[in-house]
Amino acid sequence: MAYMLQDGATAAAFVFALFVVTFLLGSIPWGVIISKTFFSKDLRDEGSGNIGTTNAMRTMGKKGGAAVFVLDFGKGVLSGLLGFWLAGALLEAGCSFWQLPFAVAFAGCIWGHIFSPWLKFKGGKGIAVAVGCLFFVFGWWGTLLELGIFIVVVLVTRQVSAGSLSAAIACPFLAFYFYAGDWVSAIIISLAALTIIWAHRENIRRLWNGTESKIGRRA
């Protein structure tokens, strides 16, 4: 494997294949699958219409919401594992861009989740899948810092969207810190984080207007 990856074109092809695989992994709409299979409803027609954990929790209860989170989180973990495997192989082969698979896996699973081809290129907001992948992209300390930002903001505001946006805003800064010198990877990670912010555009509007729902209060 390492011998094959010593060829630059072959290595680049593997990185592109990683993006395709992680995009398809991220695109699996578990929220819709679970709601239709076990709750005889389409999550897109309930609550906020989002297929992610927060809307699943509100419309399907704790068990349904937990199932959606675990499966979406798992998409990110599996994507991160694939990125970790390819990064190790590229490093062994002596490739200078061995860190790139982490960024590609991160972006792939997030963009697949937000722009799912199975839902006419619509999807969730990318938080759960991003956290799952972050353990490989930023490591434990970086991920715990992101989670810390999320938790503190949610506790202060009682708004999940505010915590999600705060963590997403912090992501590009951490990317340029952890990937200092590897600007391509840092930029790809930052673009993925900016996509998450874009996916929260309705939440941003409601936060600005003071109408965003809070934990413990119905929208």
Side-chain angles (χ1 to χ4, degrees), residues 4-15:
M4 291 173 57
L5 294 175
Q6 288 177 356
D7 176 67
T10 302
F14 268 87
V15 173

Side-chain angles (χ1 to χ4, degrees), residues 26-50:
S27 72
I28 302 173
W30 285 118
V32 175
I33 293 171
I34 290 173
S35 64
K36 285 188 172 184
T37 303
F38 298 102
F39 294 88
S40 300
K41 63 176 70 175
D42 190 331
L43 196 57
R44 293 170 293 178
D45 298 328
E46 305 289 332
S48 66
N50 188 263

Side-chain angles (χ1 to χ4, degrees), residues 138 145-146 149 164-176 193 197:
F138 286 167
L145 180 57
E146 285 274 32
I149 293 170
S164 300
L165 284 164
S166 298
I169 291 169
C171 190
F173 296 97
L174 293 174
F176 279 93
I197 295 172

Side-chain angles (χ1 to χ4, degrees), residues 66-82:
V68 173
F69 173 79
V70 169
L71 290 168
D72 282 347
F73 180 82
K75 295 190 301 187
V77 171
L78 184 54
S79 296
L81 276 170
L82 291 172

Side-chain angles (χ1 to χ4, degrees), residues 23-192:
F23 182 90
L24 292 175
L25 272 174
S27 72
I28 302 173
W30 285 118
V32 175
I33 293 171
I34 290 173
S35 64
K36 285 188 172 184
T37 303
F38 298 102
F39 294 88
S40 300
K41 63 176 70 175
D42 190 331
L43 196 57
R44 293 170 293 178
D45 298 328
E46 305 289 332
S48 66
N50 188 263
I51 67 169
T53 302
T54 302
N55 193 43
M57 194 77 70
R58 287 171 179 164
T59 60
M60 297 190 295
K62 293 180 179 179
K63 290 183 178 179
V68 173
F69 173 79
V70 169
L71 290 168
D72 282 347
F73 180 82
K75 295 190 301 187
V77 171
L78 184 54
S79 296
L81 276 170
L82 291 172
F84 177 79
W85 167 78
L86 183 55
L90 291 175
L91 180 62
E92 184 181 354
C95 292
S96 59
F97 53 90
W98 66 272
Q99 287 183 303
L100 187 59
F102 292 113
V104 168
F106 184 68
C109 64
I110 289 173
W111 290 339
H113 183 78
I114 295 175
F115 306 110
S116 174
W118 318 116
L119 303 178
K120 298 180 179 179
F121 294 98
K122 297 179 181 179
K125 297 178 181 177
I127 294 299
V129 67
V131 174
C133 198
L134 272 181
F135 283 99
F136 299 91
V137 177
F138 286 167
W140 282 95
W141 289 113
T143 305
L144 290 176
L145 180 57
E146 285 274 32
L147 289 173
I149 293 170
F150 170 82
I151 292 170
V152 168
V153 174
V154 170
L155 289 176
V156 171
T157 65
R158 291 173 50 219
Q159 293 170 319
V160 174
S161 59
S164 300
L165 284 164
S166 298
I169 291 169
C171 190
F173 296 97
L174 293 174
F176 279 93
Y177 172 77
F178 284 112
Y179 291 82
D182 184 357
W183 308 121
V184 173
S185 295
I187 289 171
I188 292 173
I189 293 169
S190 298
L191 288 173

